[in-house]
Amino acid sequence: MANADSSATELTAKQGEPTLVLPAEETPKGLYFLNNLDQNIAVIVRTCYCFKSDSKGNEDAAEVVKNALSKLLVQCYPLAGRLTISSAGKLIVNCTGEGAVFVEAEASFGIEDIGDLTKPDPLVLGKLVYEIPGAQHILQIPPLVVQVTKFKCGAFVIGMSMNHCMLDGLAAMEFMNSWGETARGLPLKVHPVLDRIILKSRDPPKIEFPHPEFDEIEDVSNTNKLYEEEMLYRYFCFGPEKLEQLKKIAMQDKVLNKCTTFEALSAFVWRARCEALGMQPDQQTKLLFAVDGRSRFEPPLPEGFFGNGIVLTYSLSKAGELLTNPLSFTVGLVQNAVSMITDSYMRSAIDYFEITRARPSLAATMVITTWYRLSFHTIDFGWGEPIFSGPVALPEKEVILFLSHGTQRKNINVLLGLPASAMKIFEQLMEI
């Protein structure tokens, strides 16, 4: 377990004036369609990628990163546009070619001041991502904002702010790897496929399944009162032995035939969070997590799909049922949530949004975002693979991150925030 709270206020990164990185060649203009899976997750995601080479300094890092971005934006030109609202009242990209925002910065502190790079401090990392001054909403924030921060030790960090409506985790990973390949003068391993019309809603829309992931849940446990306390953020590391032990616990009553790491860990954390927040036995609670639909759509989405190919799925249960039943019960709920993601279900979810314009409710809900399956660690701009890569902070208090940890990438770090009194209980529940 590690503390992610900090006295980082004295650490500063001196930012230069923002500039715009335009595509290196003329790109198509006009409106670029965003489908309903994109509409649902229009939140700003901030990430950092830290590089340091023993044989190469960081003097030209910003120039290399900037030039490569300009070249890549020719193929990924929607990222050089601006978000606006369509005549149908939905988000759409106006491909103006204005460019991505780019800022160079110099840190007053060393890379070591970020702390343990496997458990980075969100307050320090936040200084490495540029924020658009005075922006009140996402339409005032360009889809892609980049800050390159140099450190005296020769390291540099690419801090990126991107709207999730543009790319999901897998597409962002492919974009970052393509950016690195471009910087090294290599051909792209995966070419972006920009057509999102393939995930357009049907005409007429057809809702074939219930979609309680969008339903509001009454907070009968009054957990909102707890959130008036100080919020604490903590990392919990699960090594291979601990993960194996969790799976054994989940299967010891022989109810399940199989159990994955994700299923066991999700179930374990969901239960513990319900208990830590003091949920009443009759409190309805919801687990939300994204399933990659690329291979589940019929036909499957093409390789290099540039957008969001993920669909939110859900588990619902009363807190009392989670806490009084064996772990196998909760794992079973997670397994059912995964298995329900078929082409029909995903098309139904797309059409549900078309009719209702509803967004998933987060009351009495836990949202899991999984990063440990994504290959951000392979990005290389010419300084080798990153010594750290990952998100800056949690976008919402209900979100929990599963991150890879360690050089072998066999450990999973669980990052979450809870009110101080709840975190104290949660820490105890993580001991198995």
Side-chain angles (χ1 to χ4, degrees):
M1 188 267 291
N3 191 340
D5 313 302
S6 150
S7 55
T9 48
E10 70 281 2
L11 302 176
T12 58
K14 187 180 177 185
Q15 296 170 328
E17 284 298 310
T19 58
L20 291 171
V21 178
L22 279 61
E25 300 169 19
E26 190 66 27
T27 54
K29 302 296 186 286
L31 297 176
Y32 176 71
F33 173 77
L34 298 177
N35 63 54
N36 289 347
L37 298 182
D38 304 319
Q39 307 288 332
N40 248 336
I41 40 180
V43 295
I44 302 299
V45 178
R46 297 181 301 155
T47 51
C48 278
Y49 310 86
C50 178
F51 301 89
K52 187 178 183 185
S53 167
D54 293 334
S55 59
K56 190 174 178 182
N58 61 12
E59 298 79 16
D60 61 346
E63 201 60 30
V64 169
V65 169
K66 188 189 217 175
N67 290 341
L69 178 59
S70 178
K71 291 174 186 172
L72 187 58
L73 285 176
V74 175
Q75 290 197 56
C76 303
Y77 62 86
L79 288 173
R82 296 295 180 264
L83 286 168
T84 186
I85 301 296
S86 72
S87 56
K90 292 191 200 175
L91 282 173
I92 197 165
V93 181
N94 186 10
C95 295
T96 57
E98 285 175 64
V101 175
F102 191 89
V103 173
E104 293 184 45
E106 296 213 358
S108 66
F109 51 97
I111 200 77
E112 66 281 356
D113 291 315
I114 293 178
D116 182 348
L117 287 171
T118 61
K119 303 178 182 70
D121 186 330
L123 290 177
V124 181
L125 291 187
K127 299 172 190 291
L128 307 178
V129 181
Y130 183 70
E131 292 192 16
I132 302 296
Q136 300 293 310
H137 52 77
I138 59 170
L139 297 183
Q140 296 174 339
I141 303 172
L144 179 60
V145 178
V146 177
Q147 175 175 319
V148 174
T149 305
K150 296 180 192 175
F151 293 81
K152 291 183 174 66
C153 61
F156 70 95
V157 169
I158 299 174
M160 192 165 79
S161 161
M162 185 188 284
N163 196 308
H164 205 317
C165 72
M166 300 305 294
L167 302 174
D168 63 13
L170 183 60
M173 177 201 76
E174 290 173 346
F175 172 78
M176 291 301 297
N177 276 288
S178 294
W179 192 356
E181 287 158 5
T182 305
R184 288 179 289 142
L186 301 174
L188 302 190
K189 286 180 185 166
V190 179
H191 288 270
V193 177
L194 269 58
D195 178 19
R196 302 192 191 201
I197 302 286
I198 50 178
L199 294 182
K200 197 173 187 288
S201 60
R202 293 170 290 195
D203 188 12
K206 189 174 161 190
I207 300 172
E208 302 170 86
F209 296 87
H211 289 282
E213 64 266 36
F214 296 95
D215 293 350
E216 193 75 36
I217 295 176
E218 187 184 352
D219 182 19
V220 298
S221 307
N222 198 22
T223 57
N224 274 337
K225 182 77 180 161
L226 272 180
Y227 279 98
E228 292 173 10
E229 297 177 17
E230 179 194 5
M231 282 288 284
L232 298 181
Y233 295 89
R234 298 283 187 270
Y235 284 89
F236 298 88
C237 184
F238 288 79
E241 299 81 10
K242 201 169 180 180
L243 292 168
E244 205 53 46
Q245 191 182 348
L246 264 186
K247 289 198 270 187
K248 279 181 184 167
I249 294 169
M251 296 184 68
Q252 66 189 8
D253 57 5
K254 297 188 168 43
V255 171
L256 305 171
N257 295 322
K258 57 179 182 175
C259 173
T260 67
T261 295
F262 172 79
E263 291 160 357
L265 188 56
S266 301
F268 179 67
V269 172
W270 185 20
R271 277 175 44 157
R273 186 175 177 273
C274 289
E275 187 172 343
L277 288 170
M279 288 187 181
Q280 300 293 327
D282 61 343
Q283 172 71 62
Q284 188 78 270
T285 176
K286 179 169 59 181
L287 172 68
L288 288 179
F289 58 92
V291 173
D292 183 11
R294 284 167 172 75
S295 63
R296 294 171 184 253
F297 278 106
E298 296 173 9
L301 299 184
E303 185 186 19
F305 178 73
F306 186 83
N308 287 280
I310 55 171
V311 179
L312 279 178
T313 187
Y314 69 91
S315 295
L316 278 172
S317 178
K318 289 186 175 172
E321 291 177 348
L322 294 182
L323 298 177
T324 56
N325 279 299
L327 187 60
S328 59
F329 171 80
T330 312
V331 171
L333 294 177
V334 177
Q335 289 179 340
N336 291 340
V338 174
S339 64
M340 77 165 77
I341 299 295
T342 61
D343 180 75
S344 300
Y345 182 88
M346 294 187 290
R347 302 277 178 194
S348 177
I350 290 169
D351 291 357
Y352 184 91
F353 180 86
E354 188 66 23
I355 293 170
T356 65
R357 301 296 168 92
R359 286 182 167 78
S361 163
L362 296 183
T365 297
M366 182 178 100
V367 185
I368 294 175
T369 299
T370 306
W371 279 60
Y372 67 88
R373 296 172 179 150
L374 299 172
S375 301
F376 284 104
H377 61 285
T378 61
I379 301 161
D380 185 354
F381 285 84
W383 282 262
E385 294 178 353
I387 55 174
F388 162 77
S389 63
V392 168
L394 300 171
E396 303 281 353
K397 68 181 190 297
E398 296 85 2
V399 174
I400 290 181
L401 282 170
F402 288 0
L403 303 154
S404 60
H405 167 58
T407 50
Q408 299 296 310
R409 311 188 67 78
K410 290 180 180 175
N411 301 340
I412 296 177
N413 257 345
V414 176
L415 169 62
L416 78 159
L418 282 171
S421 62
M423 184 60 85
K424 192 173 179 184
I425 298 167
F426 189 86
E427 286 172 354
Q428 295 166 353
L429 295 171
M430 288 298 99
E431 301 299 325
I432 57 166

